[in-house]
Amino acid sequence: MKQARKSSFRRNFGDLRGMLALTRGNRLQYLWAIISVGVASLMGYAMPLIVRVTVDSVIDTQPFDLPQTLVNWIEMAGGREAWRQNLWVSAVILVVMALIGGLFTYFRGRYTAKASEGIAQRLRDRLYGHLQTLSYDYHVKAETGDLIQRCTSDVETIRRFLAVQVIELVRGVFMVGIAVAILLPISPKLTGISLIMVPPMFLFSLIYFVKVQQRFRRADEAEGEMSTVLQENLTGMRVVRAFGQQAYEVEKFDRYNRTNRDLYYKLMKLMGFYWGFSDYMGFLQIGISLTAGVAMTVSGEITLGSMLVFTSYSSMMLWPVRQLGRILADMGKAMVSFERLQQILTQPSEPDDGVKDEQAVRGDIVFDHVWFGYEKDKPVLRDVSFTAKAGETIAILGATGSGKSSLVHLLQRLYDYDKGEITLGGRPIRQLNRKWLRHRVGIVLQEPFLFSKTIRENIGITKRGAGEDEIIEAARIAAVHEVITSFDQGYETPVGERGVTLSGGQKQRVAIARMLMQNAPILIFDDSLSAVDTQTDATIREALQKRRKGTTTFIISHRINTLSEADQILVLEEGRIVQRGTHASLIKEDGLYKRIWALQEGAAAQEA
């Protein structure tokens, strides 16, 4: 138990230190905010002192309990009688102090707002930039809704803490410290009575901090799960409607929403109990101070003005201590949010190592006894070996789950293989720079992703500043130019989020045009012609053949017509190459390729 508490303390201390480290670059603004808090606090405490002097030494005849310099100034201005005849002077002094306090309160808000917004901006930029460097495998496994929630809601939680509660903590220290320094010389006894509820309130605040941190963590995680459900539903709206699953999706979201509501309700109950009980202790302290102050005034131990000062200062001291609960609660929330962000920021970036060898990507590709699996002891590719000579077209056929996509993903170093070796132009692929390599290995997936931009922007996104002729030429090769020009806005047609305004085949062809803009020496078509008709398929392949110029091409497909013209065909079963050869040779030997060819030929004959 002690070890767990130490571990929790170290984690909390580390998170707090990490959050405060975020203030680098804005600490001068925080310094001005702290100075503003100090001035505003002094003005707040000086005002009851003016009332005390007016009551005791101007209206009454008590001697001025002020520094001698101030007493000399009062005497020069006409002394007690002149002040008594012009009590409006006290009002003017109070108004001026209130204006100064209000002005510096404004400065406090301005500087903390600028600092916290700057920190939030840098934190968002850092998160977004780091997410771009994380591995493909991380993004495949991560929940998008949860990532969005961390990058928005959790950043906002930290921003609020740094904008409000850090300075409130400083203000609380100022308020209590100044009050004690002023009250002790007046009456040590009444000062002690006025502070009697501070230790219990502080202890109560610490207990509240621990409880609220635990409940906020559960509520924040529940909100992330709810965001994931929402994101998945909106992304898959077509599927939901196609299968008539709206009622099921509403029920599922309602379950997560109820869980989120219940957890936040428990959090609000805890906060409500804290504020109610701390209000009780605060008012009890004011009552104790007022009762003791009246009794001591009647007995002559203190003056009426001093009693008014103590009454005013009691509440001014207590509210910062009471506010400590809110500060600690928000600090607990911010620590949870910071820990969740750290889970992203501490993820190792994908190494950007390796060399840039143009000759390698234009040479032969050799798979030499390659093994690969997404999980340990569960290989997806088993002892794969083949050679693709520069400029050849390699076709890959296999059942779902046979390892086709995994094989081509290794060429982009989206994953690194476990055993064996892959070489490009004689150089091991692991020695090539990932980012550089991916610019030279173009890939089109079966379900391509299009951005919510115009068709022109989607095609030209891989080559900034591409000219009109280049974009049109790529679209012609992808057999989509005529389709685009048939739209009212042509290439300026917005495709909508995820390309929903285009058909499946149109999206695939736009994605092919986008890849062709890379002018990459290695091209991969991962079943990316599946949504186009056979005539368009043949047109695209013919155009690619004319353009090839030494380009090594990998085509994954279930259409024999698409595979038949390849220089080499690989047939995969359960991660192994079970057949290889040309179309002419494979249709003569028993196996998967011949069976699929026979089925498709038979279907074509029936249609004819």
Side-chain angles (χ1 to χ4, degrees), residues 349-518:
S349 297
E350 191 176 52
D352 199 16
D353 53 0
V355 299
K356 303 174 182 180
D357 187 348
E358 195 68 42
Q359 184 59 40
V361 293
R362 299 189 183 278
D364 295 349
I365 300 172
V366 178
F367 276 63
D368 184 16
H369 300 287
V370 172
W371 289 73
F372 167 72
Y374 298 102
E375 298 179 28
K376 191 176 181 181
D377 300 327
K378 292 184 179 179
V380 175
L381 296 176
R382 306 164 186 265
D383 199 26
V384 173
S385 296
F386 69 91
T387 299
K389 295 190 178 298
E392 281 190 342
T393 296
I394 307 298
I396 304 174
L397 175 70
T400 300
S402 60
K404 305 184 299 297
S405 296
S406 301
L407 188 150
V408 294
H409 285 169
L410 296 180
L411 285 174
Q412 279 204 323
R413 291 197 70 188
L414 296 177
Y415 298 96
D416 279 332
Y417 43 91
D418 301 323
K419 292 188 292 183
E421 193 67 85
I422 301 175
T423 60
L424 298 183
R427 182 183 287 276
I429 198 172
R430 281 176 170 158
Q431 295 180 8
L432 295 175
N433 180 276
R434 280 185 172 86
K435 184 177 178 181
W436 177 86
L437 177 65
R438 288 166 191 167
H439 278 296
R440 285 152 182 81
V441 180
I443 187 168
V444 184
L445 303 175
Q446 181 179 3
E447 296 183 6
F449 180 91
L450 297 184
F451 294 92
S452 184
K453 299 176 181 289
T454 65
I455 293 176
R456 180 191 306 279
E457 290 172 315
N458 268 284
I459 294 176
I461 200 168
T462 56
K463 187 177 181 180
R464 302 295 182 182
E468 179 85 10
D469 292 341
E470 291 180 275
I471 291 175
I472 291 176
E473 177 61 21
R476 286 186 189 280
I477 296 173
V480 74
H481 172 69
E482 292 183 3
V483 174
I484 295 172
T485 54
S486 69
F487 297 146
D488 291 338
Q489 295 175 265
Y491 281 85
E492 301 305 322
T493 302
V495 299
E497 187 176 6
R498 297 177 63 85
V500 295
T501 56
L502 301 178
S503 69
Q506 290 167 350
K507 282 195 293 184
Q508 285 188 338
R509 283 178 279 172
V510 170
I512 290 171
R514 178 175 64 190
M515 180 191 68
L516 294 175
M517 293 295 294
Q518 288 182 248

Side-chain angles (χ1 to χ4, degrees), residues 149-219:
Q149 196 262 347
R150 294 187 191 210
C151 293
T152 52
S153 179
D154 285 332
V155 170
E156 177 61 17
T157 299
I158 293 173
R159 187 203 66 78
R160 283 199 305 268
F161 173 72
L162 295 176
V164 179
Q165 304 306 351
V166 168
I167 295 302
E168 279 298 316
L169 183 61
V170 174
R171 178 173 173 268
V173 172
F174 270 123
M175 297 286 279
V176 174
I178 294 172
V180 172
I182 293 172
L183 295 179
L184 268 176
I186 298 175
S187 173
K189 177 182 176 182
L190 191 53
T191 301
I193 294 172
S194 298
L195 294 173
I196 196 169
M197 294 302 294
V198 170
M201 288 184 71
F202 182 75
L203 179 62
F204 184 49
S205 296
L206 287 178
I207 296 171
Y208 171 65
F209 162 70
V210 174
K211 295 293 184 183
V212 81
Q213 190 177 23
Q214 295 170 351
R215 293 195 181 181
F216 179 76
R217 185 188 304 278
R218 291 195 291 269

Side-chain angles (χ1 to χ4, degrees), residues 242-260:
F243 289 95
Q245 293 295 302
Q246 292 95 324
Y248 170 77
E249 288 296 323
V250 169
E251 182 183 346
K252 182 173 73 171
F253 180 79
D254 186 54
R255 284 200 310 272
Y256 282 92
N257 196 14
R258 281 200 306 270
T259 300
N260 182 64

Side-chain angles (χ1 to χ4, degrees), residues 226-247:
M226 185 179 68
S227 299
T228 297
V229 172
L230 179 62
Q231 179 267 329
E232 287 179 346
N233 179 268
L234 294 177
T235 302
M237 184 57 70
R238 281 186 173 183
V239 177
V240 173
R241 289 184 178 276
F243 289 95
Q245 293 295 302
Q246 292 95 324

